Amino acid sequence: AQSVTQLDSQVPVFEEAPVELRCNYSSSVSVYLFWYVQYPNQGLQLLLKYLSGSTLVKGINGFEAEFNKSQTSFHLRKPSVHISDTAEYFCAVSDQGAQKLVFGQGTRLTINP
Amino acid sequence: EPEVTQTPSHQVTQMGQEVILRCVPISNHLYFYWYRQILGQKVEFLVSFYNNEISEKSEIFDDQFSVERPDGSNFTLKIRSTKLEDSAMYFCASSPGVTGELFFGEGSRLTVL
């Protein structure tokens, strides 16, 4: 069965500092990987996705993530964060060709001025 | 930009009552989903729906739950007899295909007293 582990429940960083949000997954088959963001009082919005091809994927708002198959990781990074990046970030996985997404427990990113 | 809309945004109900949560998916999407997030926990898959029938459901989706696409635009989740533990945020999502790129609504918060 698939599972997703987000290693940090909360990550506080200062504005303009770099950030990495960690995500590890387990699956017995090939997967698609996603990061979703949830701003306060809003729904889940897709940040970026890995389906195939280049292991470094770029998303919206300056975020990027790298798929590492050997380490079964898909960490999210941003070189310089802004106050507006304050949100909850969810890593998710699905088997290729499957519909169901399995989510991690989320990481709350807090940006301090 | 097309979006998934959900109503109501918040519903309070008494234990044992029936609740219907409504969703309008993006118009050209073919796959529809319900997820839920109990406060402080992961976003959990409930059910997926394609071609007017359930394509997959989780163990959470027991006989008290049902889904329906009564017309060409709405997608509903019915909870027949609510329990305290059904209190959660319920997210509707839709996707154009099976690549896992889901588009989420803003959620319906259900509080069961």
PDB file of all heavy atoms in Angstrom, chain B residues 66-89:
ATOM      1  N   SER B  66     -23.121   7.898   0.185  1.00  0.00           N
ATOM      2  CA  SER B  66     -23.457   7.645  -1.213  1.00  0.00           C
ATOM      3  C   SER B  66     -23.107   8.867  -2.032  1.00  0.00           C
ATOM      4  O   SER B  66     -23.005   9.984  -1.489  1.00  0.00           O
ATOM      5  CB  SER B  66     -24.936   7.288  -1.370  1.00  0.00           C
ATOM      6  OG  SER B  66     -25.748   8.366  -0.972  1.00  0.00           O
ATOM      7  N   VAL B  67     -22.860   8.656  -3.305  1.00  0.00           N
ATOM      8  CA  VAL B  67     -22.579   9.756  -4.214  1.00  0.00           C
ATOM      9  C   VAL B  67     -23.511   9.653  -5.397  1.00  0.00           C
ATOM     10  O   VAL B  67     -23.985   8.579  -5.761  1.00  0.00           O
ATOM     11  CB  VAL B  67     -21.112   9.785  -4.689  1.00  0.00           C
ATOM     12  CG1 VAL B  67     -20.180  10.181  -3.570  1.00  0.00           C
ATOM     13  CG2 VAL B  67     -20.713   8.465  -5.304  1.00  0.00           C
ATOM     14  N   GLU B  68     -23.716  10.808  -6.004  1.00  0.00           N
ATOM     15  CA  GLU B  68     -24.656  10.854  -7.118  1.00  0.00           C
ATOM     16  C   GLU B  68     -24.290  12.019  -8.024  1.00  0.00           C
ATOM     17  O   GLU B  68     -23.778  13.037  -7.556  1.00  0.00           O
ATOM     18  CB  GLU B  68     -26.077  11.053  -6.573  1.00  0.00           C
ATOM     19  CG  GLU B  68     -27.184  10.827  -7.571  1.00  0.00           C
ATOM     20  CD  GLU B  68     -28.557  10.967  -6.936  1.00  0.00           C
ATOM     21  OE1 GLU B  68     -28.710  11.804  -6.026  1.00  0.00           O
ATOM     22  OE2 GLU B  68     -29.469  10.260  -7.363  1.00  0.00           O
ATOM     23  N   ARG B  69     -24.527  11.821  -9.300  1.00  0.00           N
ATOM     24  CA  ARG B  69     -24.413  12.927 -10.252  1.00  0.00           C
ATOM     25  C   ARG B  69     -25.809  13.068 -10.865  1.00  0.00           C
ATOM     26  O   ARG B  69     -26.103  12.486 -11.910  1.00  0.00           O
ATOM     27  CB  ARG B  69     -23.358  12.613 -11.285  1.00  0.00           C
ATOM     28  CG  ARG B  69     -23.004  13.765 -12.186  1.00  0.00           C
ATOM     29  CD  ARG B  69     -21.631  13.551 -12.794  1.00  0.00           C
ATOM     30  NE  ARG B  69     -21.394  14.372 -13.959  1.00  0.00           N
ATOM     31  CZ  ARG B  69     -21.031  15.643 -13.926  1.00  0.00           C
ATOM     32  NH1 ARG B  69     -20.895  16.246 -12.770  1.00  0.00           N
ATOM     33  NH2 ARG B  69     -20.801  16.318 -15.035  1.00  0.00           N
ATOM     34  N   PRO B  70     -26.662  13.828 -10.199  1.00  0.00           N
ATOM     35  CA  PRO B  70     -28.078  13.847 -10.568  1.00  0.00           C
ATOM     36  C   PRO B  70     -28.368  14.530 -11.904  1.00  0.00           C
ATOM     37  O   PRO B  70     -29.400  14.271 -12.516  1.00  0.00           O
ATOM     38  CB  PRO B  70     -28.730  14.613  -9.412  1.00  0.00           C
ATOM     39  CG  PRO B  70     -27.638  15.449  -8.844  1.00  0.00           C
ATOM     40  CD  PRO B  70     -26.377  14.654  -9.022  1.00  0.00           C
ATOM     41  N   ASP B  71     -27.456  15.392 -12.338  1.00  0.00           N
ATOM     42  CA  ASP B  71     -27.642  16.063 -13.620  1.00  0.00           C
ATOM     43  C   ASP B  71     -26.265  16.240 -14.241  1.00  0.00           C
ATOM     44  O   ASP B  71     -25.293  15.668 -13.771  1.00  0.00           O
ATOM     45  CB  ASP B  71     -28.371  17.399 -13.416  1.00  0.00           C
ATOM     46  CG  ASP B  71     -27.693  18.264 -12.371  1.00  0.00           C
ATOM     47  OD1 ASP B  71     -26.441  18.323 -12.358  1.00  0.00           O
ATOM     48  OD2 ASP B  71     -28.392  18.855 -11.551  1.00  0.00           O
ATOM     49  N   GLY B  72     -26.162  17.043 -15.266  1.00  0.00           N
ATOM     50  CA  GLY B  72     -24.882  17.156 -15.944  1.00  0.00           C
ATOM     51  C   GLY B  72     -23.849  17.999 -15.251  1.00  0.00           C
ATOM     52  O   GLY B  72     -22.708  18.081 -15.699  1.00  0.00           O
ATOM     53  N   SER B  73     -24.224  18.632 -14.121  1.00  0.00           N
ATOM     54  CA  SER B  73     -23.275  19.550 -13.512  1.00  0.00           C
ATOM     55  C   SER B  73     -22.979  19.252 -12.052  1.00  0.00           C
ATOM     56  O   SER B  73     -21.864  19.466 -11.598  1.00  0.00           O
ATOM     57  CB  SER B  73     -23.765  20.989 -13.645  1.00  0.00           C
ATOM     58  OG  SER B  73     -25.020  21.141 -13.009  1.00  0.00           O
ATOM     59  N   ASN B  74     -23.922  18.751 -11.284  1.00  0.00           N
ATOM     60  CA  ASN B  74     -23.699  18.572  -9.853  1.00  0.00           C
ATOM     61  C   ASN B  74     -23.162  17.191  -9.516  1.00  0.00           C
ATOM     62  O   ASN B  74     -23.429  16.207 -10.210  1.00  0.00           O
ATOM     63  CB  ASN B  74     -25.022  18.777  -9.099  1.00  0.00           C
ATOM     64  CG  ASN B  74     -25.451  20.223  -9.105  1.00  0.00           C
ATOM     65  OD1 ASN B  74     -24.895  21.041  -8.402  1.00  0.00           O
ATOM     66  ND2 ASN B  74     -26.432  20.538  -9.940  1.00  0.00           N
ATOM     67  N   PHE B  75     -22.425  17.134  -8.423  1.00  0.00           N
ATOM     68  CA  PHE B  75     -21.894  15.881  -7.891  1.00  0.00           C
ATOM     69  C   PHE B  75     -22.092  15.963  -6.382  1.00  0.00           C
ATOM     70  O   PHE B  75     -21.560  16.863  -5.742  1.00  0.00           O
ATOM     71  CB  PHE B  75     -20.419  15.752  -8.265  1.00  0.00           C
ATOM     72  CG  PHE B  75     -19.740  14.504  -7.774  1.00  0.00           C
ATOM     73  CD1 PHE B  75     -20.278  13.256  -8.008  1.00  0.00           C
ATOM     74  CD2 PHE B  75     -18.532  14.582  -7.098  1.00  0.00           C
ATOM     75  CE1 PHE B  75     -19.646  12.100  -7.565  1.00  0.00           C
ATOM     76  CE2 PHE B  75     -17.885  13.438  -6.646  1.00  0.00           C
ATOM     77  CZ  PHE B  75     -18.449  12.199  -6.887  1.00  0.00           C
ATOM     78  N   THR B  76     -22.881  15.048  -5.833  1.00  0.00           N
ATOM     79  CA  THR B  76     -23.245  15.181  -4.426  1.00  0.00           C
ATOM     80  C   THR B  76     -22.709  14.028  -3.587  1.00  0.00           C
ATOM     81  O   THR B  76     -22.548  12.896  -4.072  1.00  0.00           O
ATOM     82  CB  THR B  76     -24.772  15.235  -4.253  1.00  0.00           C
ATOM     83  OG1 THR B  76     -25.338  14.015  -4.741  1.00  0.00           O
ATOM     84  CG2 THR B  76     -25.374  16.409  -5.005  1.00  0.00           C
ATOM     85  N   LEU B  77     -22.448  14.338  -2.322  1.00  0.00           N
ATOM     86  CA  LEU B  77     -22.093  13.336  -1.322  1.00  0.00           C
ATOM     87  C   LEU B  77     -23.184  13.365  -0.261  1.00  0.00           C
ATOM     88  O   LEU B  77     -23.471  14.410   0.312  1.00  0.00           O
ATOM     89  CB  LEU B  77     -20.744  13.661  -0.677  1.00  0.00           C
ATOM     90  CG  LEU B  77     -20.320  12.770   0.495  1.00  0.00           C
ATOM     91  CD1 LEU B  77     -20.012  11.360   0.011  1.00  0.00           C
ATOM     92  CD2 LEU B  77     -19.096  13.361   1.206  1.00  0.00           C
ATOM     93  N   LYS B  78     -23.801  12.217  -0.027  1.00  0.00           N
ATOM     94  CA  LYS B  78     -24.842  12.117   0.986  1.00  0.00           C
ATOM     95  C   LYS B  78     -24.333  11.257   2.129  1.00  0.00           C
ATOM     96  O   LYS B  78     -23.759  10.174   1.912  1.00  0.00           O
ATOM     97  CB  LYS B  78     -26.110  11.496   0.415  1.00  0.00           C
ATOM     98  CG  LYS B  78     -27.254  11.387   1.430  1.00  0.00           C
ATOM     99  CD  LYS B  78     -28.409  10.548   0.928  1.00  0.00           C
ATOM    100  CE  LYS B  78     -29.170  11.205  -0.179  1.00  0.00           C
ATOM    101  NZ  LYS B  78     -30.388  10.430  -0.558  1.00  0.00           N
ATOM    102  N   ILE B  79     -24.522  11.762   3.333  1.00  0.00           N
ATOM    103  CA  ILE B  79     -24.248  10.976   4.531  1.00  0.00           C
ATOM    104  C   ILE B  79     -25.602  10.724   5.168  1.00  0.00           C
ATOM    105  O   ILE B  79     -26.283  11.661   5.595  1.00  0.00           O
ATOM    106  CB  ILE B  79     -23.306  11.710   5.509  1.00  0.00           C
ATOM    107  CG1 ILE B  79     -22.059  12.192   4.783  1.00  0.00           C
ATOM    108  CG2 ILE B  79     -22.915  10.772   6.653  1.00  0.00           C
ATOM    109  CD1 ILE B  79     -21.131  13.051   5.635  1.00  0.00           C
ATOM    110  N   ARG B  80     -25.991   9.469   5.212  1.00  0.00           N
ATOM    111  CA  ARG B  80     -27.378   9.140   5.552  1.00  0.00           C
ATOM    112  C   ARG B  80     -27.689   9.403   7.017  1.00  0.00           C
ATOM    113  O   ARG B  80     -28.713   9.972   7.339  1.00  0.00           O
ATOM    114  CB  ARG B  80     -27.659   7.679   5.223  1.00  0.00           C
ATOM    115  CG  ARG B  80     -29.148   7.336   5.250  1.00  0.00           C
ATOM    116  CD  ARG B  80     -29.436   5.937   4.756  1.00  0.00           C
ATOM    117  NE  ARG B  80     -28.833   4.934   5.601  1.00  0.00           N
ATOM    118  CZ  ARG B  80     -27.995   3.993   5.165  1.00  0.00           C
ATOM    119  NH1 ARG B  80     -27.674   3.930   3.894  1.00  0.00           N
ATOM    120  NH2 ARG B  80     -27.475   3.108   5.985  1.00  0.00           N
ATOM    121  N   SER B  81     -26.862   9.000   7.907  1.00  0.00           N
ATOM    122  CA  SER B  81     -27.108   9.164   9.339  1.00  0.00           C
ATOM    123  C   SER B  81     -25.779   9.576   9.984  1.00  0.00           C
ATOM    124  O   SER B  81     -24.930   8.736  10.278  1.00  0.00           O
ATOM    125  CB  SER B  81     -27.610   7.851   9.936  1.00  0.00           C
ATOM    126  OG  SER B  81     -27.798   7.977  11.332  1.00  0.00           O
ATOM    127  N   THR B  82     -25.638  10.876  10.182  1.00  0.00           N
ATOM    128  CA  THR B  82     -24.329  11.391  10.590  1.00  0.00           C
ATOM    129  C   THR B  82     -23.951  10.959  11.998  1.00  0.00           C
ATOM    130  O   THR B  82     -24.798  10.821  12.892  1.00  0.00           O
ATOM    131  CB  THR B  82     -24.306  12.916  10.504  1.00  0.00           C
ATOM    132  OG1 THR B  82     -25.460  13.441  11.179  1.00  0.00           O
ATOM    133  CG2 THR B  82     -24.310  13.390   9.072  1.00  0.00           C
ATOM    134  N   LYS B  83     -22.646  10.774  12.178  1.00  0.00           N
ATOM    135  CA  LYS B  83     -22.066  10.457  13.478  1.00  0.00           C
ATOM    136  C   LYS B  83     -21.122  11.583  13.871  1.00  0.00           C
ATOM    137  O   LYS B  83     -20.689  12.368  13.020  1.00  0.00           O
ATOM    138  CB  LYS B  83     -21.275   9.147  13.395  1.00  0.00           C
ATOM    139  CG  LYS B  83     -22.044   7.980  12.866  1.00  0.00           C
ATOM    140  CD  LYS B  83     -21.113   6.799  12.624  1.00  0.00           C
ATOM    141  CE  LYS B  83     -21.845   5.694  11.888  1.00  0.00           C
ATOM    142  NZ  LYS B  83     -20.932   4.645  11.401  1.00  0.00           N
ATOM    143  N   LEU B  84     -20.797  11.627  15.146  1.00  0.00           N
ATOM    144  CA  LEU B  84     -19.881  12.671  15.624  1.00  0.00           C
ATOM    145  C   LEU B  84     -18.566  12.638  14.848  1.00  0.00           C
ATOM    146  O   LEU B  84     -18.004  13.687  14.514  1.00  0.00           O
ATOM    147  CB  LEU B  84     -19.603  12.493  17.114  1.00  0.00           C
ATOM    148  CG  LEU B  84     -20.785  12.694  18.063  1.00  0.00           C
ATOM    149  CD1 LEU B  84     -20.368  12.389  19.499  1.00  0.00           C
ATOM    150  CD2 LEU B  84     -21.333  14.108  17.953  1.00  0.00           C
ATOM    151  N   GLU B  85     -18.093  11.425  14.549  1.00  0.00           N
ATOM    152  CA  GLU B  85     -16.798  11.283  13.881  1.00  0.00           C
ATOM    153  C   GLU B  85     -16.835  11.646  12.400  1.00  0.00           C
ATOM    154  O   GLU B  85     -15.794  11.613  11.733  1.00  0.00           O
ATOM    155  CB  GLU B  85     -16.252   9.857  14.051  1.00  0.00           C
ATOM    156  CG  GLU B  85     -17.195   8.765  13.616  1.00  0.00           C
ATOM    157  CD  GLU B  85     -18.020   8.193  14.766  1.00  0.00           C
ATOM    158  OE1 GLU B  85     -18.414   8.969  15.675  1.00  0.00           O
ATOM    159  OE2 GLU B  85     -18.277   6.979  14.741  1.00  0.00           O
ATOM    160  N   ASP B  86     -18.007  11.999  11.884  1.00  0.00           N
ATOM    161  CA  ASP B  86     -18.083  12.493  10.508  1.00  0.00           C
ATOM    162  C   ASP B  86     -17.729  13.976  10.418  1.00  0.00           C
ATOM    163  O   ASP B  86     -17.628  14.530   9.310  1.00  0.00           O
ATOM    164  CB  ASP B  86     -19.492  12.282   9.929  1.00  0.00           C
ATOM    165  CG  ASP B  86     -19.835  10.818   9.769  1.00  0.00           C
ATOM    166  OD1 ASP B  86     -18.914  10.020   9.495  1.00  0.00           O
ATOM    167  OD2 ASP B  86     -21.022  10.470   9.939  1.00  0.00           O
ATOM    168  N   SER B  87     -17.570  14.619  11.552  1.00  0.00           N
ATOM    169  CA  SER B  87     -17.172  16.024  11.552  1.00  0.00           C
ATOM    170  C   SER B  87     -15.817  16.160  10.882  1.00  0.00           C
ATOM    171  O   SER B  87     -14.834  15.538  11.299  1.00  0.00           O
ATOM    172  CB  SER B  87     -17.092  16.561  12.988  1.00  0.00           C
ATOM    173  OG  SER B  87     -18.365  16.583  13.589  1.00  0.00           O
ATOM    174  N   ALA B  88     -15.772  16.957   9.822  1.00  0.00           N
ATOM    175  CA  ALA B  88     -14.550  17.080   9.023  1.00  0.00           C
ATOM    176  C   ALA B  88     -14.768  18.138   7.960  1.00  0.00           C
ATOM    177  O   ALA B  88     -15.877  18.629   7.753  1.00  0.00           O
ATOM    178  CB  ALA B  88     -14.202  15.747   8.352  1.00  0.00           C
ATOM    179  N   MET B  89     -13.692  18.454   7.264  1.00  0.00           N
ATOM    180  CA  MET B  89     -13.781  19.252   6.044  1.00  0.00           C
ATOM    181  C   MET B  89     -13.867  18.271   4.888  1.00  0.00           C
ATOM    182  O   MET B  89     -13.033  17.359   4.785  1.00  0.00           O
ATOM    183  CB  MET B  89     -12.561  20.148   5.911  1.00  0.00           C
ATOM    184  CG  MET B  89     -12.576  21.015   4.674  1.00  0.00           C
ATOM    185  SD  MET B  89     -13.764  22.357   4.822  1.00  0.00           S
ATOM    186  CE  MET B  89     -12.720  23.607   5.559  1.00  0.00           C
TER     187      MET B  89
END
